[in-house]
Amino acid sequence: MKEEKGENSPFVKFIGTAGARFVVMKQLRSSGGVWLSSGRTHLYIDPGPGALVRCLSSRPRMDPSALDGIVLTHKHLDHSNDVNVMIEAMTEGGFRKKGVLFAPEDALEKDPVVFNYVRGYLENIEILGKNSQYRIGDISFSTALRHKHGVETYGINFTLASHTISFISDTRFFSELPDLYQGEVLVINVVRREPVGDDPIDHLSVEDVKTIVRTAKPKLTVLTHFGMTLTRAKPWEVAAELEKELGVKVIAASDGMKLNLNEV
Ligand SMILES: [Zn+2]
């Protein structure tokens, strides 16, 4: 495909791959979230602690003023900590009113994570709800069912010009989950090495990933958002084991990893 000025091949850049409290607070991995670009549109997903710093220090440097929008899958701190500063950076300190914030209602209403004064810098705020469609520039996306997580949370199915990519954000496993995310690339937040069982932990484990991948059959599965047990288990080894067992391509994201979607 011929690239026009300002366009680049679609990509996902994992600014951070840390998940849950301990990996984030000790910064064993970065916790910045994900940058998604397609055509002329740049979208940031879940700007956790360090998003701005990691964008500016990445090579090549990622400039948040190029962003068209920010998606919060939910308001937990490891997904939203840098949302205010990223809105400021996207809008050049609020001097250039632009961009759209997509977030669940409870990130904005009760105990909100977005300051009122930065909301005015945005062109628009769209509320993420279940089974809804959204569009920003060259990127369309939809939500599915509300996840089983402590706060209002949604995963996202993105439809780009020539690719589909799904993000399964934080959730406890539930029976409909494997059918909700059909992207050819499936990014899964997998916090736990061992099954969650009856523990009061609203996160996916490696066993849950197997169940999801067997049903969803993505072309590529990318594991990210690693908690302590998974970080210790070496995510790249876990990915290799899964790939062998499931017979499909599985990789573990690393901080700064750029996934060129035309090469998947
Ligand atoms: Zn969470």
Side-chain angles (χ1 to χ4, degrees), residues 106-161:
D106 88 336
L108 300 164
E109 300 293 333
K110 194 175 157 241
D111 193 17
V113 294
V114 185
F115 295 137
N116 275 323
Y117 80 91
V118 301
R119 296 184 194 196
Y121 300 163
L122 295 159
E123 209 162 80
N124 200 6
I125 296 177
E126 293 196 32
I127 306 291
L128 287 186
K130 68 174 181 181
N131 297 322
S132 303
Q133 311 276 340
Y134 304 87
R135 182 172 185 95
I136 180 160
D138 298 321
I139 299 176
S140 299
F141 64 95
S142 61
T143 52
L145 296 178
R146 179 175 170 162
H147 281 189
K148 307 266 185 251
H149 203 51
V151 296
E152 188 179 4
T153 306
Y154 300 98
I156 310 279
N157 283 304
F158 288 101
T159 303
L160 315 178

Side-chain angles (χ1 to χ4, degrees), residues 80-115:
S80 71
N81 185 77
D82 271 16
V83 65
N84 292 295
V85 74
M86 287 297 274
I87 291 171
E88 282 221 355
M90 174 169 73
T91 59
E92 294 175 35
F95 287 105
R96 215 177 130 219
K97 193 177 174 81
K98 74 183 257 262
V100 181
L101 172 70
F102 302 87
E105 198 170 4
D106 88 336
L108 300 164
E109 300 293 333
K110 194 175 157 241
D111 193 17
V113 294
V114 185
F115 295 137

Side-chain angles (χ1 to χ4, degrees), residues 185-244:
V185 175
L186 182 58
V187 180
I188 308 182
N189 284 6
V190 51
V191 167
R192 295 261 299 196
R193 176 83 181 100
E194 302 306 327
V196 173
D198 293 330
D199 294 349
I201 290 168
D202 290 335
H203 282 294
L204 296 173
S205 71
V206 173
E207 283 305 312
D208 299 326
V209 171
K210 289 180 194 172
T211 310
I212 294 165
V213 170
R214 281 192 183 111
T215 300
K217 298 188 181 68
K219 210 163 140 189
L220 172 67
T221 302
V222 185
L223 312 179
T224 188
H225 206 64
F226 306 117
M228 200 58 136
T229 55
L230 211 78
T231 299
R232 283 201 189 115
K234 302 187 176 106
W236 58 96
E237 288 183 6
V238 173
E241 283 164 25
L242 282 174
E243 181 165 292
K244 207 170 151 196

Side-chain angles (χ1 to χ4, degrees), residues 20 73-79 149-151 153 169-171 189 202-203 225:
T73 64
H74 63 298
K75 72 176 177 187
H76 278 155
L77 193 136
D78 52 329
H79 299 254
H149 203 51
V151 296
T153 306
S169 187
D170 294 357
T171 187
N189 284 6
D202 290 335
H203 282 294
H225 206 64

